[in-house]
Amino acid sequence: MSVDLTDEKYEKHREAGEILAQVRAETADRVEVGASHLEIAEYAEDRIRELGGEPAFPVNISIDEEAAHATPKPDDDSTFGEEMINLDIGVHIDGWLADTAITVDLSGHPELAEAPAEALEAAIEIIEPGVETGDIGAEIEDVIDGYGYNPVVNLSGHGLGHWDQHTEPNIPNRAVEQGVELEVGDVVAIEPFATDGGGKVNEGSDEEIYALERQASVRNRDARKALEQIVEEFKTLPFARRWLDSRRAEMALRRLKRQNVVHGYPVLKEKDGCLVSQKEHTVIVTEDGCEVTTRPR
Ligand code: MN
Ligand code: MN
């Protein structure tokens, strides 16, 4: 079966990626000691909208041992210090996504920041129809290992579905036996993580990102209003507590979680408390290789 890569959905993936390449660069440029987490996140999210996209998920600003799923609280007053900062940003156009991440190192560990970037380039180089996801993982592991660091093995790349940020196939960050073959037309995010720790992340206690789990009738007024906004604006994509209009968002979310209407994404932290770096691009598998949608054109 042949796949038409000029189809409208691929055009929307490309448009999302183009916006994202620009926003990633502009946002990373603004990260410096003393800059505000909330201002940086809102800058990126506003820029995405100005350029004609929608944020596919809240801008993730993960610091030092945090690997993913951290985003500013409403009224957050945190600022950057001499830290390792992972920015993970997503854009969608009508539910067709692009996903990218970059580490900005203000901590004095440039090689740790470089390792996943180099691993990502090596992975992209081998992607073509028929490549096994396990071989992509082996490539990533090999490069990061060469730097003397460990890949984070319980985080992985993924497919990007319509209104769905994480679909099959899973793209491991180490060599695995059971992989699947990529096919023409697959849209996947490749995201190596490196650490100077053991290479595993655990869930922490902080949680600022949520997504709809199922629809249900909700009696409480605040919770019902919040659910209406979620279904209307975010659908099945992740959202931040600070994106909710309700002044009682925290209470509303607690109720929606208790009814299993939404689920949270706890901040993921390196198990040994060590530094984590990340780099991510979205690619479309083509006849003879792949097209990186999130690179500047
Ligand atoms: Mn990402
Ligand atoms: Mn991703």
Side-chain angles (χ1 to χ4, degrees):
M1 196 188 75
S2 84
V3 176
D4 181 6
L5 294 178
T6 63
D7 190 87
E8 194 186 358
K9 76 169 197 175
Y10 291 108
E11 290 303 333
K12 288 180 176 174
H13 277 295
R14 289 184 183 103
E15 192 183 337
E18 194 170 352
I19 293 168
L20 197 41
Q22 185 177 341
V23 172
R24 181 189 58 232
E26 291 177 0
T27 307
D29 270 352
R30 286 164 185 260
V31 173
E32 58 184 16
V33 173
S36 145
H37 292 192
L38 184 58
E39 279 175 29
I40 291 285
E42 289 183 340
Y43 170 81
E45 292 162 1
D46 289 346
R47 263 320 259 153
I48 289 168
R49 296 185 188 103
E50 276 169 27
L51 294 170
E54 285 293 328
F57 50 82
V59 170
N60 284 210
I61 300 179
S62 305
I63 306 288
D64 287 347
E65 76 275 16
E66 294 172 349
H69 299 169
T71 202
K73 304 190 285 281
D75 306 317
D76 201 304
D77 60 1
S78 330
T79 56
F80 297 108
E82 292 178 350
E83 297 160 328
M84 179 156 280
I85 297 126
N86 295 347
L87 295 175
D88 197 326
I89 316 177
V91 171
H92 77 87
I93 307 279
D94 299 332
W96 303 104
L97 295 100
D99 186 359
T100 196
I102 189 168
T103 291
V104 178
D105 176 52
L106 305 177
S107 75
H109 296 82
E111 294 218 323
L112 181 52
E114 198 180 293
E118 195 69 38
L120 177 58
E121 289 309 314
I124 287 169
E125 204 132 292
I126 66 162
I127 294 178
E128 60 181 8
V131 70
E132 292 203 11
T133 52
D135 292 338
I136 299 173
E139 200 68 25
I140 289 170
E141 182 174 23
D142 187 52
V143 173
I144 292 174
D145 186 63
Y147 274 83
Y149 298 118
N150 286 316
V152 174
V153 295
N154 58 342
L155 290 175
S156 51
H158 50 90
L160 291 166
H162 196 210
W163 294 105
D164 189 351
Q165 193 213 346
H166 281 121
T167 60
E168 294 297 314
N170 181 65
I171 318 279
N173 284 324
R174 62 173 168 148
V176 297
E177 290 294 330
Q178 324 86 324
V180 298
E181 290 186 5
L182 295 187
E183 294 170 17
V184 176
D186 283 350
V187 181
V188 293
I190 314 290
E191 50 181 312
F193 290 81
T195 177
D196 54 359
K200 282 212 165 138
V201 293
N202 283 340
E203 290 186 349
S205 52
D206 295 343
E207 194 176 84
E208 288 292 335
I209 301 179
Y210 301 85
L212 183 67
E213 177 83 39
R214 64 182 184 99
Q215 298 233 34
S217 68
V218 175
R219 206 170 309 142
N220 175 267
R221 188 175 173 279
D222 289 322
R224 196 171 61 235
K225 286 270 171 216
L227 181 58
E228 280 168 15
Q229 186 188 359
I230 293 164
V231 169
E232 167 81 21
E233 276 185 49
F234 320 129
K235 300 188 170 57
T236 44
L237 293 173
F239 61 90
R241 175 160 64 103
R242 62 186 161 80
W243 286 1
L244 294 177
D245 296 330
S246 167
R247 281 183 295 124
R248 291 155 55 90
E250 186 164 13
M251 185 67 88
L253 282 169
R254 209 173 306 147
R255 287 181 187 277
L256 293 174
K257 261 186 78 171
R258 207 160 48 215
Q259 283 186 254
N260 298 318
V261 174
V262 303
H263 66 270
Y265 294 87
V267 173
L268 300 174
K269 297 181 173 193
E270 211 281 331
K271 208 161 76 40
D272 306 319
C274 293
L275 297 174
V276 179
S277 57
Q278 177 195 15
K279 186 88 196 259
E280 178 177 25
H281 274 308
T282 297
V283 310
I284 301 172
V285 181
T286 59
E287 295 290 345
D288 59 356
C290 73
E291 177 187 336
V292 183
T293 65
T294 46
R295 255 208 250 281
R297 264 168 278 174

